[in-house]
């Protein structure tokens, strides 16, 4: 019994021009991520993790190959359609939180829901529930600058899943945190992913954190390979 494929990459290529030379970062990367599955992406700096996550998250277009979200091939879609898929089906967490500084934690989590057409009351209720789940319910009225690094990242994670996406992509979400904080933020993230049954791919340098995921993959010669 296989869960549905939430995210699929086939033959994804990305090359950067550097003056006379071309830097080939992705050279035919293939990848399948199913609903309910968690995958750690563990690879050294400069191997193309961010590039791959940005392409998977429809933030960039590949030079060749396909990105399928929930079976829909996204390459030939208009920017408008890609934005809609990104908004509804994909949650993205960055290494730095990227929260809106002038809004409170609660409002930051409400924002994507309001854009998707939920009422203020609905968005606020779900945002509060997510803050509670991340154990920062008492921080809802605070602005990002009034929160610790670990709290900021938990708000960013809550915001990423606010619209109940199909796929969560996280690019070294605990990379800026001290080891202890990184541990509990990562565990909170993992618990949330498990509870909601979404598919998650998380880039991390931390092997302990990676070990609690279902699968581990790395980047090798521009391809994604399974770690056993
Ligand atoms: P990682 O996230 O694994 O550290 P990246 O995907 O950020 O790797 O980068 C992979 C390689 O691609 C690096 O050598 C980086 O310098 C290069 N690179 C990334 N973005 C660009 C760009 N816009 N232009 C040129 N080179 C880039
Ligand atoms: Mg990176």
């Amino acid at each position: 019994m296989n869960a549905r494929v939430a995210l699929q990459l086939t033959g994804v290529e990305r090359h950067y021009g550097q003056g006379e030379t071309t830097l080939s970062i992705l050279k035919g990367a293939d990848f399948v991520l199913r609903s309910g599955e968690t995958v750690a992406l563990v690879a050294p700096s400069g191997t193309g993790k961010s590039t791959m996550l940005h392409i998977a998250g429809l933030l960039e277009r590949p030079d060749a190959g396909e990105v399928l979200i929930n079976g829909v091939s996204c390459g030939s879609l208009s920017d408008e359609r890609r934005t809609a898929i990104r908004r509804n089906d994909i949650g993205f967490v960055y290494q730095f939180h990227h929260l809106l500084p002038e809004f409170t934690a609660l409002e930051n989590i409400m924002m994507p829901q309001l854009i998707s057409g939920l009422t203020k009351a609905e968005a606020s209720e779900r945002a509060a529930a997510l803050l509670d789940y991340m154990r920062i319910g008492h921080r809802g009225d605070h602005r990002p600058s009034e929160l610790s690094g670990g709290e900021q990242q938990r708000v960013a994670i809550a915001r990423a899943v606010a619209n109940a996406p199909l796929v969560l992509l996280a690019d070294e979400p605990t990379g800026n945190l001290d080891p202890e904080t990184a541990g509990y933020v990562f565990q909170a993230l993992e618990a949330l992913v498990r509870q909601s049954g979404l598919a998650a791919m998380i880039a991390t340098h931390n092997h302990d954190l990676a070990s609690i995921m279902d699968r581990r993959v790395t980047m090798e010669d521009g391809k994604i390979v399974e770690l056993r």
Side-chain angles (χ1 to χ4, degrees), residues 31-34 37-41 194 210 212-217 224 226-228:
F31 183 65
V32 170
L33 184 64
R34 293 178 184 278
E37 197 175 34
T38 62
V39 177
L41 173 61
R194 298 266 178 224
I212 65 176
M213 311 293 275
D214 295 328
R215 286 161 56 200
R216 280 146 294 284
V217 298
I224 300 170
E226 215 75 22
L227 285 169
R228 306 262 170 218

Side-chain angles (χ1 to χ4, degrees), residues 49-50 171-172:
K49 299 184 298 299
S50 295
D171 194 357
E172 303 190 40

Side-chain angles (χ1 to χ4, degrees), residues 214-225:
D214 295 328
R215 286 161 56 200
R216 280 146 294 284
V217 298
T218 191
M219 307 290 305
E220 231 169 70
D221 192 28
K223 295 189 171 65
I224 300 170
V225 300

Side-chain angles (χ1 to χ4, degrees), residues 45-46 48-51 53-54 95 171-172 203 205:
S45 282
K49 299 184 298 299
S50 295
T51 301
L53 287 168
H54 289 163
Q95 183 167 1
D171 194 357
E172 303 190 40
H205 285 291

